[in-house]
Amino acid sequence: MSPVSSSRSLFALARALPFALLLAVLTIELSPFSFLYTGPLLSPAPALAAVTMGPAGTGSAILMAGVVSTITATHNHAWGSQQVYANLLALLVVSVASLATSIARVRKEQELAKVRRISQVSQDVVLHPVPARLNDVTAAGLYLAAEAGARIGGDLYEVLDTPFGIRIIVGDAQGKGLPAVRTAAAVLGAFREAAHYEPELPEVMRRCEAALHRELSRARGDQEAAEPLDPTEQFVTAVLAQVPDTPVVDLVSRGHHPPLLLHRSEADALETSCPLPPLGLEEFLGSHPMPVQTHPFEPGDRLLLYTDGAVEARDPAGNFFDLPAHLAQLSEDGPLGKVLDRLRAFLLDHTRGNLADDTAMIIIERHTRHSSERAPS
């Protein structure tokens, strides 16, 4: 049985428990075992119903408990005894508290559902769905938020078909929460614009850096800070990839983890020959140019771009997740979406489901272009 099916079965069992308890009390009271004292078992039924059901379900359990109490008192000729009235008073108090608790819980769940819907809309605005096919390149994306219930954080990605080839960005905004989301949105907005008009990858990266600085300036204005923000606390690591018509991939990296090239069942990191600081820390860049690293990217090859959550994840013993080794295992694992699903399963199994950081992955594969296909103009 899958974990989802198991959870649903347990939930259904929990919802049936209050009514099963009341039915057991009624059966005992009307049987030869009526000498057993079951009065205290009536009060927990509404409380149990309030845990898993709304006001209607809780009200049904309260009504049934009252009916069972009336039947048993009549059957045992117990009306007028202090014990019967004490049981009814206890049932009344618990019923009122249970109904109020159920109403409050349902309202909180509705508010949470609304927040999640807004979060989903925000994710769709900031992180666009990854197109499955772009000319002779297929692609798939994955986002895992470390915070329970969250759908978006500081990790960012985008895949675009431009006049200069397929262009991709994957990055990680330092920090968490809304500030990281705003930073990621600023960088993505600049990339989406510049990728279509700037012929050179370094210029696209500079446009992203300029957008980051504008966002930080706006943040300083909002905070009315007397002192400038510490630049070491506001930066974005990012890698840009460009897949032209020729069988290569061009990369520009600013402090980001190297992409992994899966070629003939081997996963190799495409290291940069000139490491550069992240966006926002250009004072450490000095006069160094941003070199473009070009690597072979042939039909059948796959390229994985990812954020640090995928390689810095630890198991309970403190061991890091070996992303290249797991990727190499999936060299013949079918569609790209299935590959990412398997990587997600490996990652969650390694961490026992406890991710310490958000994780984003983009995987692409080059295919042989048919003669009927042509490059975008």
Short mmCIF file of all heavy atoms in Angstrom, two decimals, residues 15 19 46 49-63 95-96 98-110:
data_model
loop_
_atom_site.label_atom_id
_atom_site.label_comp_id
_atom_site.label_asym_id
_atom_site.label_seq_id
_atom_site.Cartn_x
_atom_site.Cartn_y
_atom_site.Cartn_z
N ARG A 15 -12.19 8.96 11.33
CA ARG A 15 -13.51 9.56 11.22
C ARG A 15 -14.61 8.61 11.67
O ARG A 15 -15.65 9.05 12.19
CB ARG A 15 -13.78 10.00 9.78
CG ARG A 15 -12.81 11.04 9.26
CD ARG A 15 -13.28 11.64 7.96
NE ARG A 15 -14.47 12.45 8.14
CZ ARG A 15 -14.99 13.22 7.19
NH1 ARG A 15 -14.40 13.30 6.00
NH2 ARG A 15 -16.08 13.93 7.41
N PHE A 19 -18.25 7.19 15.96
CA PHE A 19 -19.52 6.49 15.78
C PHE A 19 -19.39 5.03 16.17
O PHE A 19 -20.33 4.44 16.71
CB PHE A 19 -19.97 6.63 14.32
CG PHE A 19 -20.15 8.06 13.90
CD1 PHE A 19 -19.19 8.70 13.15
CD2 PHE A 19 -21.28 8.78 14.29
CE1 PHE A 19 -19.35 10.03 12.77
CE2 PHE A 19 -21.45 10.10 13.92
CZ PHE A 19 -20.47 10.74 13.16
N PRO A 46 -17.79 13.19 20.81
CA PRO A 46 -17.77 14.48 20.10
C PRO A 46 -16.37 15.07 19.96
O PRO A 46 -16.05 15.69 18.93
CB PRO A 46 -18.64 15.38 20.99
CG PRO A 46 -19.52 14.44 21.74
CD PRO A 46 -18.67 13.23 21.98
N ALA A 49 -14.70 13.37 17.13
CA ALA A 49 -15.26 13.80 15.86
C ALA A 49 -14.72 15.17 15.45
O ALA A 49 -14.48 15.43 14.26
CB ALA A 49 -16.78 13.84 15.95
N ALA A 50 -14.49 16.05 16.42
CA ALA A 50 -14.01 17.40 16.12
C ALA A 50 -12.60 17.39 15.53
O ALA A 50 -12.21 18.34 14.86
CB ALA A 50 -14.03 18.26 17.38
N VAL A 51 -11.85 16.32 15.77
CA VAL A 51 -10.48 16.26 15.27
C VAL A 51 -10.44 16.08 13.76
O VAL A 51 -9.57 16.64 13.07
CB VAL A 51 -9.71 15.11 15.98
CG1 VAL A 51 -8.33 14.93 15.37
CG2 VAL A 51 -9.61 15.39 17.47
N THR A 52 -11.37 15.32 13.21
CA THR A 52 -11.31 14.97 11.79
C THR A 52 -12.50 15.46 10.97
O THR A 52 -12.47 15.37 9.75
CB THR A 52 -11.23 13.44 11.63
OG1 THR A 52 -12.36 12.83 12.28
CG2 THR A 52 -9.95 12.90 12.25
N MET A 53 -13.55 15.98 11.63
CA MET A 53 -14.76 16.36 10.90
C MET A 53 -15.10 17.82 11.14
O MET A 53 -14.67 18.42 12.13
CB MET A 53 -15.93 15.46 11.30
CG MET A 53 -15.80 14.05 10.76
SD MET A 53 -17.23 13.01 11.16
CE MET A 53 -16.81 12.56 12.84
N GLY A 54 -15.93 18.35 10.26
CA GLY A 54 -16.39 19.72 10.39
C GLY A 54 -17.55 19.82 11.35
O GLY A 54 -17.93 18.85 12.02
N PRO A 55 -18.18 21.00 11.41
CA PRO A 55 -19.30 21.18 12.33
C PRO A 55 -20.45 20.21 12.10
O PRO A 55 -21.07 19.76 13.06
CB PRO A 55 -19.74 22.63 12.04
CG PRO A 55 -18.50 23.30 11.52
CD PRO A 55 -17.78 22.25 10.74
N ALA A 56 -20.72 19.89 10.83
CA ALA A 56 -21.83 18.97 10.54
C ALA A 56 -21.54 17.58 11.10
O ALA A 56 -22.39 16.96 11.76
CB ALA A 56 -22.08 18.91 9.04
N GLY A 57 -20.34 17.06 10.85
CA GLY A 57 -19.98 15.75 11.36
C GLY A 57 -19.91 15.72 12.88
O GLY A 57 -20.36 14.76 13.52
N THR A 58 -19.35 16.78 13.46
CA THR A 58 -19.27 16.86 14.92
C THR A 58 -20.66 16.94 15.52
O THR A 58 -20.96 16.31 16.54
CB THR A 58 -18.44 18.09 15.34
OG1 THR A 58 -17.15 18.02 14.74
CG2 THR A 58 -18.29 18.15 16.84
N GLY A 59 -21.55 17.73 14.88
CA GLY A 59 -22.94 17.82 15.36
C GLY A 59 -23.64 16.48 15.30
O GLY A 59 -24.44 16.13 16.19
N SER A 60 -23.34 15.70 14.26
CA SER A 60 -23.95 14.36 14.15
C SER A 60 -23.49 13.46 15.29
O SER A 60 -24.29 12.70 15.86
CB SER A 60 -23.58 13.73 12.80
OG SER A 60 -24.06 14.51 11.73
N ALA A 61 -22.20 13.54 15.62
CA ALA A 61 -21.70 12.73 16.73
C ALA A 61 -22.32 13.18 18.05
O ALA A 61 -22.65 12.34 18.91
CB ALA A 61 -20.18 12.85 16.80
N ILE A 62 -22.52 14.50 18.23
CA ILE A 62 -23.15 15.01 19.45
C ILE A 62 -24.59 14.52 19.55
O ILE A 62 -25.04 14.06 20.61
CB ILE A 62 -23.11 16.56 19.46
CG1 ILE A 62 -21.67 17.04 19.61
CG2 ILE A 62 -23.98 17.12 20.58
CD1 ILE A 62 -21.50 18.53 19.44
N LEU A 63 -25.32 14.60 18.44
CA LEU A 63 -26.71 14.14 18.43
C LEU A 63 -26.81 12.66 18.72
O LEU A 63 -27.66 12.21 19.53
CB LEU A 63 -27.33 14.46 17.07
CG LEU A 63 -28.80 14.03 16.89
CD1 LEU A 63 -29.68 14.75 17.89
CD2 LEU A 63 -29.26 14.32 15.47
N SER A 95 -19.45 18.62 24.32
CA SER A 95 -20.06 18.85 23.01
C SER A 95 -19.91 20.30 22.58
O SER A 95 -19.57 20.59 21.42
CB SER A 95 -21.54 18.46 23.05
OG SER A 95 -21.68 17.08 23.30
N VAL A 96 -20.16 21.24 23.49
CA VAL A 96 -20.01 22.65 23.15
C VAL A 96 -18.56 22.97 22.77
O VAL A 96 -18.29 23.65 21.77
CB VAL A 96 -20.48 23.53 24.33
CG1 VAL A 96 -20.13 25.00 24.07
CG2 VAL A 96 -21.98 23.37 24.55
N SER A 98 -16.29 20.87 21.71
CA SER A 98 -15.93 20.17 20.47
C SER A 98 -16.47 20.89 19.25
O SER A 98 -15.79 21.01 18.22
CB SER A 98 -16.45 18.73 20.51
OG SER A 98 -15.89 18.02 21.59
N LEU A 99 -17.71 21.37 19.34
CA LEU A 99 -18.30 22.07 18.21
C LEU A 99 -17.55 23.37 17.93
O LEU A 99 -17.28 23.70 16.76
CB LEU A 99 -19.78 22.36 18.50
CG LEU A 99 -20.61 22.87 17.32
CD1 LEU A 99 -20.58 21.86 16.18
CD2 LEU A 99 -22.03 23.15 17.76
N ALA A 100 -17.19 24.09 18.98
CA ALA A 100 -16.42 25.34 18.80
C ALA A 100 -15.05 25.04 18.20
O ALA A 100 -14.57 25.76 17.31
CB ALA A 100 -16.27 26.05 20.14
N THR A 101 -14.41 23.97 18.66
CA THR A 101 -13.10 23.58 18.13
C THR A 101 -13.19 23.20 16.66
O THR A 101 -12.34 23.58 15.84
CB THR A 101 -12.53 22.41 18.94
OG1 THR A 101 -12.39 22.80 20.31
CG2 THR A 101 -11.18 21.98 18.39
N SER A 102 -14.25 22.46 16.31
CA SER A 102 -14.42 22.05 14.91
C SER A 102 -14.62 23.25 14.00
O SER A 102 -14.04 23.32 12.91
CB SER A 102 -15.62 21.10 14.81
OG SER A 102 -15.85 20.73 13.47
N ILE A 103 -15.42 24.22 14.44
CA ILE A 103 -15.66 25.42 13.63
C ILE A 103 -14.36 26.19 13.43
O ILE A 103 -14.03 26.63 12.32
CB ILE A 103 -16.73 26.30 14.30
CG1 ILE A 103 -18.09 25.60 14.28
CG2 ILE A 103 -16.81 27.65 13.60
CD1 ILE A 103 -19.16 26.32 15.06
N ALA A 104 -13.58 26.35 14.53
CA ALA A 104 -12.32 27.08 14.43
C ALA A 104 -11.33 26.36 13.53
O ALA A 104 -10.61 26.98 12.73
CB ALA A 104 -11.73 27.27 15.82
N ARG A 105 -11.28 25.03 13.62
CA ARG A 105 -10.34 24.26 12.79
C ARG A 105 -10.70 24.37 11.32
O ARG A 105 -9.82 24.54 10.46
CB ARG A 105 -10.35 22.80 13.22
CG ARG A 105 -9.37 21.92 12.45
CD ARG A 105 -9.43 20.48 12.92
NE ARG A 105 -10.75 19.92 12.80
CZ ARG A 105 -11.27 19.46 11.65
NH1 ARG A 105 -10.56 19.52 10.53
NH2 ARG A 105 -12.48 18.96 11.62
N VAL A 106 -11.99 24.29 10.99
CA VAL A 106 -12.41 24.39 9.60
C VAL A 106 -12.06 25.76 9.03
O VAL A 106 -11.61 25.89 7.89
CB VAL A 106 -13.91 24.10 9.47
CG1 VAL A 106 -14.43 24.47 8.09
CG2 VAL A 106 -14.19 22.63 9.76
N ARG A 107 -12.26 26.81 9.84
CA ARG A 107 -11.93 28.16 9.37
C ARG A 107 -10.43 28.29 9.10
O ARG A 107 -10.02 28.90 8.10
CB ARG A 107 -12.38 29.19 10.39
CG ARG A 107 -13.90 29.39 10.43
CD ARG A 107 -14.29 30.42 11.47
NE ARG A 107 -15.74 30.65 11.45
CZ ARG A 107 -16.37 31.42 12.32
NH1 ARG A 107 -15.68 32.04 13.29
NH2 ARG A 107 -17.68 31.59 12.24
N LYS A 108 -9.62 27.74 9.98
CA LYS A 108 -8.17 27.80 9.77
C LYS A 108 -7.76 27.02 8.53
O LYS A 108 -6.89 27.45 7.78
CB LYS A 108 -7.44 27.26 11.00
CG LYS A 108 -7.49 28.19 12.21
CD LYS A 108 -6.68 27.65 13.36
CE LYS A 108 -6.71 28.62 14.54
NZ LYS A 108 -5.91 28.09 15.69
N GLU A 109 -8.40 25.86 8.31
CA GLU A 109 -8.10 25.08 7.11
C GLU A 109 -8.49 25.83 5.84
O GLU A 109 -7.79 25.77 4.83
CB GLU A 109 -8.81 23.73 7.17
CG GLU A 109 -8.23 22.77 8.21
CD GLU A 109 -8.98 21.46 8.27
OE1 GLU A 109 -10.06 21.37 7.63
OE2 GLU A 109 -8.51 20.53 8.95
N GLN A 110 -9.61 26.54 5.89
CA GLN A 110 -10.03 27.33 4.73
C GLN A 110 -9.05 28.47 4.47
O GLN A 110 -8.72 28.76 3.31
CB GLN A 110 -11.44 27.88 4.97
CG GLN A 110 -12.52 26.81 4.96
CD GLN A 110 -13.89 27.35 5.35
OE1 GLN A 110 -14.00 28.44 5.92
NE2 GLN A 110 -14.93 26.59 5.06
#
